[in-house]
Amino acid sequence: MNRIVSGMSDKVGEEIVDVDTESGRNEAESDSTRPRKRPRPWQDSPLIVIDDESRGAKRGCDSRPEFGFQLMDIEGLPTMNSFKLDEHILPNPEFAVLCDYQFDLEWLFGEHPILLGARRLVIVHGDSDSIAASNKSIIDNLGLESRIKMHKPFLPLPYGTHHTKLMLFFYDHGLRVIVHTANMVASDWTTKTQGMYVRDFPVISSESSIDSEFSLYLSRYLQKLGTPLDEARKLLARYDCSNAGVSLVASVPGRHTGLDLHRFGHMRVRNILSKEHMDAEAENAPLVCQFSSLGSLQETWLLHEFKTSLTSRKGGGIRANRAGVQLVWPTVEQVRTSLAGYSAGGSLPCPQRNLKPFLSPLFHRWDGSESNRKEAMPHIKTYLRHSDGKLHFFMLTSANLSGAAWGKLEKGGSQLLVRSYELGVLFLPSFYAGSSFSLSANRPSRGLSHHHKYEFIVAFGEHAERDKLTSGERTTTVVFPVPHKLPPSKYTPSDRPWYWDGVFSKLDRFGMKWPMY
């Protein structure tokens, strides 16, 4: 049994596109050509996996948190418990799938040529036609058009996009699944706070098939993306995904009724949480929403429909709505003083008109100081409930705070309208799966003890022993590296929420104003 304890080359002129899916606007951010100032070397606490038998620290290529959630490395910051993309790509996969909103294939293949070793690769994107054509020419020039295919999923409704961030690497001896929050462009992997779920799954060893909820749900989602993913669905059936430790939460564009009403968006979360036993303290635990794009929200949608879904629990009833909602969103000053200066604001889409009066008391500051990410603006998206440092659930997802991403109920609640493709993972203590099969270390899969209870807490650096006996059974605590402070701090009277169509004359660390042209 393990206890997990954690502390916590740019391309000139690259264009990064993000979407305000509520307004349907596509906006562009340009990386500055100015040199970046080196950040100050913060002290960091490494991740340590403590084995109850040896009490020794395991390090090396397989030091990934066994529950699958980790933060991504940031250029210039000594964040020892974070990881780079190339640490998760093993050579020569039989088949690979990369799903994302935006791709810069010149950068991606240049930084990670190991991807070119895939026998077959499907790139699922949300790029504009012009960017897609440019990426296609790169594939053609490499002479890899027979092995690398590009696919843009069908969008049946306006103002939506393909925003999912997913990687699948199929090998003869195992499958690696990565659900993350970064676009496939350079700056998303160098100056921003990002997160990922990484999990390896073994080949099914017996003749009988193992249809886990995780693999069935993932297969259905791949089917929604289109026929180019049929091969991935076929290969997926070869692997045992029963030890995923999470539930997938997808959004698929369309109007969903019947059984599909509870399969996507916030209604999928409502369906899962309504079956989950939680401690009594969860009743008043706040819902903390941290995101990197703010849609045009309706008060009834956020504070009733969406909140009801994410504060559901078994036996909670309407009393769960006593929980407050806290929105973690950077201020203008935090963007100005960030690692990338004002240019970081180009990846935080929010027009001033979306800062509606009812949101003002809900805003809380981004504070990544405990994870050494105070000046690394968030592109990560997390949703959680907590009380006294204890997490009741934690969700990592591509979905920003908008009805387009999470869906809006129609026709008296019998229909869910979703505009975009999204994908996330929901962590619950009851789902926790500790030791798992590893492609990197060839570690065998081990089952969990059914005599144990698990709980999630948030802590950094040194902390006391966390195992305790409760009613005759041992409770094992898993420490999550949540990247921002909990509880978050409310805005001060002088704080202004970031909005990207503002005019700000105070210079950033590079001597630039906003807008930067």
Side-chain angles (χ1 to χ4, degrees):
M1 175 182 59
N2 292 336
R3 186 185 308 108
I4 302 177
V5 180
S6 73
M8 257 334 303
S9 71
D10 285 19
K11 185 178 174 183
V12 174
E14 172 188 291
E15 186 178 61
I16 301 171
V17 179
D18 213 334
V19 172
D20 173 5
T21 52
E22 281 289 10
S23 65
R25 292 172 52 194
N26 290 345
E27 300 286 349
E29 160 203 1
S30 294
D31 256 357
S32 171
T33 58
R34 62 188 182 278
R36 285 192 174 92
K37 187 183 293 184
R38 297 295 290 180
R40 66 178 181 270
W42 286 313
Q43 183 66 34
D44 191 35
S45 300
L47 175 130
I48 303 173
V49 179
I50 303 175
D51 185 86
D52 284 338
E53 295 177 0
S54 67
R55 311 299 296 175
K58 301 178 183 179
R59 298 183 182 274
C61 66
D62 198 46
S63 60
R64 294 176 292 111
E66 292 195 345
F67 53 89
F69 172 63
Q70 58 191 244
L71 303 176
M72 297 186 192
D73 191 62
I74 296 175
E75 189 176 80
L77 294 185
T79 49
M80 295 176 64
N81 68 328
S82 58
F83 293 80
K84 298 179 182 292
L85 175 59
D86 54 12
E87 295 180 74
H88 292 303
I89 307 174
L90 301 179
N92 306 317
E94 175 184 348
F95 186 73
V97 175
L98 302 180
C99 298
D100 218 311
Y101 170 58
Q102 188 190 13
F103 285 85
D104 176 356
L105 292 189
E106 184 178 0
W107 166 80
L108 182 62
F109 293 154
E111 287 290 312
H112 309 287
I114 194 171
L115 289 169
L116 300 176
R119 298 187 185 107
R120 293 177 306 285
L121 171 62
V122 174
I123 294 173
V124 185
H125 67 92
D127 277 320
S128 65
D129 291 343
S130 60
I131 295 177
S134 176
N135 282 329
K136 179 65 166 60
S137 67
I138 291 172
I139 296 171
D140 294 343
N141 291 338
L142 290 171
L144 297 175
E145 61 273 12
S146 63
R147 289 168 44 201
I148 302 177
K149 302 297 182 184
M150 294 185 63
H151 171 61
K152 186 172 184 176
F154 174 64
L155 292 167
L157 299 170
Y159 309 132
T161 188
H162 174 264
H163 199 243
T164 288
K165 291 153 177 61
L166 167 71
M167 295 182 243
L168 302 174
F169 297 102
F170 298 88
Y171 300 92
D172 291 339
H173 58 299
L175 164 68
R176 176 161 290 176
V177 176
I178 303 176
V179 179
H180 63 102
T181 61
N183 289 298
M184 290 298 182
V185 296
S187 65
D188 268 27
W189 297 85
T190 52
T191 65
K192 300 172 186 174
T193 299
Q194 307 275 16
M196 63 170 69
Y197 160 85
V198 184
R199 197 73 167 183
D200 294 341
F201 302 103
V203 175
I204 294 173
S205 57
S206 64
E207 292 293 330
S208 60
S209 62
I210 301 177
D211 293 329
S212 68
E213 198 273 343
F214 182 93
S215 59
L216 289 173
Y217 190 86
L218 179 56
S219 180
R220 291 192 192 103
Y221 179 70
L222 295 175
Q223 184 179 33
K224 297 291 186 180
L225 292 178
T227 55
L229 282 303
D230 285 350
E231 183 173 2
R233 295 181 62 228
K234 181 178 179 180
L235 291 172
L236 184 62
R238 293 170 25 186
Y239 303 95
D240 177 5
C241 299
S242 58
N243 204 31
V246 296
S247 274
L248 291 170
V249 176
S251 292
V252 172
R255 288 181 167 87
H256 305 293
T257 60
L259 293 177
D260 281 352
L261 175 67
H262 300 283
R263 286 176 174 161
F264 305 114
H266 72 78
M267 292 299 288
R268 162 76 169 171
V269 183
R270 183 182 299 191
N271 186 47
I272 295 170
L273 294 182
S274 65
K275 302 172 184 176
E276 185 70 12
H277 284 285
M278 294 187 186
D279 296 338
E281 60 197 36
E283 179 178 329
N284 297 317
L287 170 63
V288 182
C289 307
Q290 178 274 308
F291 44 90
S292 64
S293 178
L294 180 58
S296 179
L297 304 180
Q298 297 174 334
E299 185 172 2
T300 54
W301 179 84
L302 177 64
L303 299 182
H304 177 68
E305 180 180 323
F306 183 72
K307 175 184 168 181
T308 297
S309 288
L310 272 71
T311 58
S312 295
R313 62 188 180 95
K314 190 169 185 177
I318 60 172
R319 293 192 302 165
N321 282 328
R322 294 178 182 176
V325 175
Q326 300 173 344
L327 307 182
V328 176
W329 180 254
T331 67
V332 172
E333 183 66 7
Q334 288 181 309
V335 172
R336 185 186 72 83
T337 58
S338 69
L339 291 176
Y342 280 126
S343 68
S347 290
L348 295 166
C350 175
Q352 189 173 17
R353 68 175 180 272
N354 287 1
L355 298 175
K356 299 178 180 179
F358 83 91
L359 296 174
S360 295
L362 307 182
F363 280 125
H364 291 67
R365 294 170 60 91
W366 164 260
D367 185 351
S369 56
E370 294 187 17
S371 62
N372 288 353
R373 287 164 174 83
K374 181 179 180 179
E375 296 176 344
M377 289 296 94
H379 196 263
I380 191 173
K381 298 95 170 136
T382 61
Y383 301 80
L384 60 90
R385 293 186 74 193
H386 75 101
S387 53
D388 297 325
K390 180 178 178 179
L391 291 175
H392 302 291
F393 78 82
F394 176 86
M395 183 159 44
L396 175 77
T397 177
S398 65
N400 282 302
L401 192 60
S402 74
W406 287 102
K408 294 180 179 180
L409 287 172
E410 300 177 326
K411 296 185 176 180
S414 64
Q415 178 173 283
L416 184 70
L417 171 65
V418 181
R419 296 187 183 275
S420 294
Y421 293 95
E422 308 281 0
L423 188 65
V425 286
L426 175 62
F427 294 85
L428 281 163
S430 62
F431 294 169
Y432 176 68
S435 301
S436 65
F437 168 80
S438 171
L439 283 166
S440 301
N442 197 28
R443 186 176 63 222
S445 178
R446 301 200 299 271
L448 291 174
S449 171
H450 296 289
H451 302 290
H452 282 71
K453 177 183 178 182
Y454 296 89
E455 65 179 22
F456 295 159
I457 65 167
V458 182
F460 294 89
E462 297 296 327
H463 67 88
E465 288 290 322
R466 294 293 182 178
D467 274 6
K468 60 184 179 182
L469 286 174
T470 305
S471 303
E473 66 175 358
R474 182 171 295 278
T475 298
T476 300
T477 347
V478 181
V479 182
F480 259 68
V482 176
H484 61 83
K485 175 186 173 183
L486 287 176
S489 300
K490 287 181 67 70
Y491 275 18
T492 67
S494 62
D495 284 336
R496 289 181 294 168
W498 170 257
Y499 55 100
W500 71 348
D501 52 354
V503 177
F504 309 115
S505 58
K506 192 174 182 180
L507 302 182
D508 68 9
R509 64 171 62 195
F510 303 106
M512 302 295 292
K513 302 177 181 180
W514 184 266
M516 299 171 62
Y517 51 81

